[in-house]
Amino acid sequence: MDIDAKPVPEFLAQERDEHTPAELQHFFLDFEDFWERRLWHQLTTSLDEFFKDADSAPQRLRLFENFVLSFSDKINQLKLVELGLASSQQCKDEAGNPDYQQALEFLTKLTKRVNNPDSQDAYVYATVEVARIKLCLTPQDLAGARTALDEAEKILDGFDSVESIVHASFYRVNSDYYSTKREFFQYYKNALLYLACVQSTDLPLSKQQELAYNLSVAALLSEKIYNFGELLLHPILDSLVGTEHAWLRELLFAFNAGDLHRYNALAGNFAKQALFAEKEGFLRQKLCMSALTEAVFRRPPHDRTLSFATITAETGVGVDEVEYLLMKALSQGLIRGTIDQVAGAARISWVQPKVLDKGQIESMRLRLGEWDSSVSRLNHYMEQKLAEGVGA
């Protein structure tokens, strides 16, 4: 868009009279007043309020290029980028569809403008959003997006502190990149870090459901994720309750508990997600490992020698698959111990901790009760022996 050469007062008056709804016209009187009095903070606050009003959308790009840029070096650079991002959403083609190429050019110029030593947080913010636009191009510029994200990450790592909006933007776009690449572990990690930077309840319900769905799929399909605790405890997972994807939430809890019957009951839904249908064998193996860790967890530390027959019964794998299952669980760090091929048994010394559901908590309560009884019996025995010794 070409910048209008009109003086600021004339531009604001024309914009107010010709393009602004009556309920928003008072903003333009404030804009001119604050601009003339050089009250940059008040002007920024007023602009921010105006840009957040949905009815201001058609005017944002014109206002940014013809007004905001005239004093861009006078205001908070992070806020300048925020206003620029809101303006870039109005880059559209003649049909009214997003024009990502125009948006990329707009944001690239903005990125260069804020690339100063004292505004590196704003530079990172703008750079990350450039990466986001590159992921929206057709075809996607994945290499360009990765380069921009790597540059942003390097600068972020050097900050002692930075506004949460910058970190949130980085993790959000980074997770989008890994989602495109189908790198489930990296997506899962970055999406959870994004959620740590925002209040999930502030997100639109549709966005909460999208994140919960994608996180669930990533957790289940990743070859590196066997502990879903952080996701199971996050309130965003509850956004799936009552939706067509509610079965995914139930499936996560089935995996966490190593519940073969619950898994089998839910497996009929796999046809709804093509990736699950493709990787059904992997999912069953992953569930069997969860069932193995659950079987170990339920036993007291002094009784964690499991025969191959017991493992077969607990996990549903064939006798000839038990050793492979144990080696896989050992290699993934889910358990520690030894395999006795001669005795046909596994001696487990440690099992990876995980989030407990109500049934698992009840099991732990019973075990603690048994331990308490055992300690009481030992105490009673010691008192008896002590009394006998004194009597002798």
Side-chain angles (χ1 to χ4, degrees):
M1 179 181 289
D2 294 330
I3 295 179
D4 196 327
K6 290 186 180 70
V8 166
E10 185 179 344
F11 168 76
L12 290 176
Q14 182 178 354
E15 193 69 22
R16 180 191 67 229
D17 296 338
E18 297 180 8
H19 303 289
T20 308
E23 62 271 16
L24 297 181
Q25 290 187 1
H26 68 92
F27 280 108
F28 284 80
L29 298 176
D30 291 338
F31 295 161
E32 185 173 355
D33 178 42
F34 294 145
W35 177 78
E36 288 179 344
R37 296 163 60 193
R38 299 179 180 273
L39 298 176
W40 307 123
H41 175 71
Q42 290 86 339
L43 177 54
T44 304
T45 301
S46 187
L47 282 164
D48 185 48
E49 187 178 348
F50 175 76
F51 272 52
K52 286 178 178 176
D53 191 301
D55 292 335
S56 72
Q59 296 173 268
R60 293 172 192 164
L61 193 56
R62 284 196 306 272
L63 193 63
F64 188 86
E65 294 195 316
N66 295 292
F67 178 52
V68 177
L69 287 181
S70 68
F71 54 87
S72 61
D73 59 332
K74 304 289 196 305
I75 65 175
N76 180 288
Q77 297 297 278
L78 195 57
K79 185 58 69 175
L80 174 67
V81 173
E82 284 189 52
L83 296 173
L85 294 177
S87 302
S88 70
Q89 294 172 9
Q90 302 312 308
C91 294
K92 298 180 179 180
D93 58 23
E94 294 179 357
N97 300 314
D99 187 335
Y100 292 115
Q101 190 59 51
Q102 183 189 352
L104 179 61
E105 293 170 3
F106 174 85
L107 289 177
T108 300
K109 291 178 182 177
L110 180 59
T111 302
K112 292 177 180 177
R113 182 180 288 270
V114 297
N115 186 13
N116 301 304
D118 57 349
S119 59
Q120 286 296 283
D121 55 345
Y123 176 68
V124 167
Y125 192 18
T127 299
V128 167
E129 292 301 321
V130 165
R132 178 183 64 81
I133 294 297
K134 289 183 176 182
L135 292 176
C136 296
L137 294 173
T138 305
Q140 293 176 307
D141 183 3
L142 291 175
R146 186 68 261 162
T147 299
L149 287 167
D150 287 344
E151 181 186 5
E153 184 173 25
K154 185 177 180 180
I155 299 172
L156 270 175
D157 288 343
F159 288 147
D160 292 327
S161 63
V162 68
E163 293 284 344
S164 60
I165 191 174
V166 179
H167 268 131
S169 176
F170 173 77
Y171 292 129
R172 172 174 49 80
V173 179
N174 216 24
S175 65
D176 288 344
Y177 171 83
Y178 287 119
S179 176
T180 302
K181 297 281 287 183
R182 288 192 176 180
E183 294 186 23
F184 299 117
F185 175 70
Q186 290 294 343
Y187 168 81
Y188 182 83
K189 182 176 74 172
N190 281 276
L192 282 178
L193 286 169
Y194 164 66
L195 287 174
C197 297
V198 300
Q199 286 288 340
S200 60
T201 51
D202 291 341
L203 300 173
L205 181 58
S206 60
K207 183 62 178 177
Q208 292 182 48
Q209 293 171 345
E210 178 188 347
L211 277 167
Y213 177 84
N214 290 338
L215 277 165
S216 299
V217 171
L220 291 165
L221 292 179
S222 172
E223 296 181 5
K224 296 182 179 180
I225 303 171
Y226 289 87
N227 190 336
F228 312 135
E230 196 169 355
L231 178 57
L232 294 176
L233 291 173
H234 202 288
I236 200 167
L237 201 58
D238 292 336
S239 67
L240 295 179
V241 174
T243 72
E244 61 179 319
H245 303 306
W247 63 274
L248 262 177
R249 180 178 179 276
E250 296 302 314
L251 189 61
L252 281 171
F253 281 99
F255 266 81
N256 187 61
D259 191 332
L260 289 166
H261 297 296
R262 203 168 168 190
Y263 169 85
N264 290 330
L266 293 165
N269 293 288
F270 287 1
K272 299 176 183 178
Q273 168 51 260
L275 289 173
F276 283 4
E278 291 174 17
K279 294 199 170 189
E280 188 168 358
F282 165 75
L283 287 169
R284 178 164 286 278
Q285 181 190 79
K286 191 169 182 176
L287 178 80
C288 290
M289 283 194 281
S290 181
L292 172 63
T293 60
E294 179 63 18
V296 175
F297 178 80
R298 287 199 305 266
R299 289 166 168 76
H302 63 271
D303 183 27
R304 287 184 172 174
T305 297
L306 281 69
S307 68
F308 286 5
T310 299
I311 294 173
T312 296
E314 293 280 2
T315 65
V317 301
V319 177
D320 57 334
E321 298 174 295
V322 170
E323 287 188 52
Y324 177 78
L325 181 69
L326 286 167
M327 288 188 289
K328 185 75 174 176
L330 287 165
S331 68
Q332 292 293 337
L334 302 180
I335 57 174
R336 295 174 193 159
T338 58
I339 304 173
D340 188 336
Q341 294 175 308
V342 176
R347 296 180 177 87
I348 311 301
S349 59
W350 176 87
V351 61
Q352 185 185 74
K354 59 181 175 181
V355 172
L356 308 180
D357 60 24
K358 291 181 179 179
Q360 292 167 316
I361 291 172
E362 175 63 16
S363 174
M364 177 171 279
R365 187 189 69 80
L366 293 174
R367 282 167 48 198
L368 286 170
E370 292 172 3
W371 175 80
D372 182 61
S373 297
S374 176
V375 171
S376 295
R377 288 194 299 271
L378 177 60
N379 182 57
H380 182 65
Y381 173 78
M382 295 296 293
E383 285 178 349
Q384 271 189 327
K385 289 298 181 182
L386 181 60
E388 290 173 5
V390 172

